[in-house]
Amino acid sequence: MEDVADMSDKIAYQDSNIAFLMEGESVYVGNIVYECFHRSIPMHSHSDNSYEIHYISSGHGKVTIEGCEYDTLPGTLYITGPHVRHSMIPDDRDPLSEYCIYLKLSPDAGNGKKTLSPIRAFREMNIWYGDDEYGICNLMESLFHELGEESIGFRTVVESLIKQIIISCVRNYPVNEDSSAPKGIGSADNQYLIIEEAFLYEYASLTLPMLAGRLNLSTRQTQRLLTEHYSMNFQSKKTEAKMSAAALMLRLPDKTITGIADELGYSSVEHFSSAFKKYYGMSASRYRSAL
């Protein structure tokens, strides 16, 4: 089997229309990504019923999940559920490589039925971090091979592999016996994924018209969507993303404050310094010295 790590620093499958039922619950697959990280990922979270499966295949780094910091190494598996805030810093000397699958589950009906259900156990575990003991690396490699080849029947195989990955995740932590009936997943789920990806990767250059265009909405409708779902307008959410990235960068001793200001898209270091102090209540240099 071709080794994904030898192919590219980043391979992403998006908008692939992969969706299936698992024990009666709808599972929509938003993104399937492999990346070798040479950059930090700022603190972020995802919307209702959204889950990410992260598997570290090589390298080292640090992951922060809801304020708890963990060292990552090959074989690390972690799950982040709805609204779970997490960030990642790769080791410059040995950048980590990660497989990540973004899943959107159907809204939880919560009907109280008791049965041994992997998808129910997966839904209930909003945060999990540990070592994989159930062969997820091989499943991920097979998944990317199928997506890359697109041989006859590959969608059926891909669905099966993702189900196996979910089950393997559940086998790594205690299972709760419970289940619920499904509800449909609406087109709004794609909108939230577009929003979250934009602020996660393009916080330095993103504009309201750019985001509105991707959502096929007016700028006014986009502002309303952000306010209703995230309780903040575009500028506030962009500031949050940039300040989260700044806090991560300040932990890296080789990055100067002037360089960070430039990387975050500020017109001057003075502008960045003013924004940072307003957001955190202290200067960037003081923040760095307190780490």
Side-chain angles (χ1 to χ4, degrees), residues 2-11 13 34 144-145 148-149:
E2 187 174 15
D3 186 358
V4 172
D6 293 336
M7 295 166 60
S8 173
D9 276 354
K10 183 174 182 180
I11 303 170
Y13 297 97
Y34 165 87
F144 275 78
H145 177 79
E149 293 292 322

Side-chain angles (χ1 to χ4, degrees), residues 6 13 18 34 56 59 86 104 107 109 137 151 175 180 182 204 232 246 249-250 252 269 278:
D6 293 336
Y13 297 97
I18 299 172
Y34 165 87
I56 308 302
H86 55 289
K104 191 82 168 179
C137 185
S151 300
V175 173
S180 67
M232 62 181 76
M249 292 180 190
L250 286 167
L252 305 175
V269 68
K278 181 178 179 181

Side-chain angles (χ1 to χ4, degrees), residues 1 45 64 110 119 131 229 284-285:
M1 180 179 297
S45 63
T64 300
I119 195 65
D131 296 328
H229 194 74
S285 57

Side-chain angles (χ1 to χ4, degrees), residues 11-155:
I11 303 170
Y13 297 97
Q14 300 169 312
D15 302 323
S16 51
N17 295 317
I18 299 172
F20 51 86
L21 289 177
M22 187 171 180
E23 288 122 12
E25 295 208 33
S26 299
V27 179
Y28 165 74
V29 185
N31 285 345
I32 304 174
V33 180
Y34 165 87
E35 184 168 0
C36 180
F37 286 96
H38 301 281
R39 60 187 175 84
S40 299
I41 298 297
M43 190 68 68
H44 65 288
S45 63
H46 298 289
S47 56
D48 292 345
N49 306 306
S50 298
Y51 294 78
E52 279 186 333
I53 299 171
H54 308 259
Y55 178 82
I56 308 302
S57 59
S58 64
H60 296 80
K62 292 185 181 296
V63 171
T64 300
I65 307 174
E66 289 295 339
C68 296
E69 188 177 273
Y70 303 91
D71 291 319
T72 61
L73 64 161
T76 295
L77 171 71
Y78 66 99
I79 315 297
T80 52
H83 308 291
V84 172
R85 293 172 61 81
H86 55 289
S87 64
M88 184 270 291
I89 303 177
D91 186 326
D92 288 340
R93 296 164 298 179
D94 186 19
L96 61 81
S97 295
E98 178 191 81
Y99 292 101
C100 181
I101 302 177
Y102 178 100
L103 302 174
K104 191 82 168 179
L105 305 186
S106 54
D108 188 3
N111 60 10
K113 289 184 179 179
K114 299 287 184 179
T115 184
L116 186 63
S117 168
I119 195 65
R120 163 56 56 181
F122 182 82
R123 178 194 290 280
E124 290 185 346
M125 189 66 74
N126 276 1
I127 301 173
W128 193 85
Y129 185 97
D131 296 328
D132 170 53
E133 298 180 356
Y134 288 91
I136 287 179
C137 185
N138 291 336
L139 293 172
M140 289 290 191
E141 290 178 357
S142 297
L143 175 62
F144 275 78
H145 177 79
E146 289 293 333
L147 289 167
E149 293 292 322
E150 291 192 356
S151 300
I152 185 169
F154 84 97
R155 286 188 175 277

Side-chain angles (χ1 to χ4, degrees), residues 257-273:
I257 292 177
T258 299
I260 291 171
D262 183 63
E263 193 169 337
L264 293 176
Y266 285 96
S267 58
S268 68
V269 68
E270 291 79 14
H271 186 196
F272 164 68
S273 297

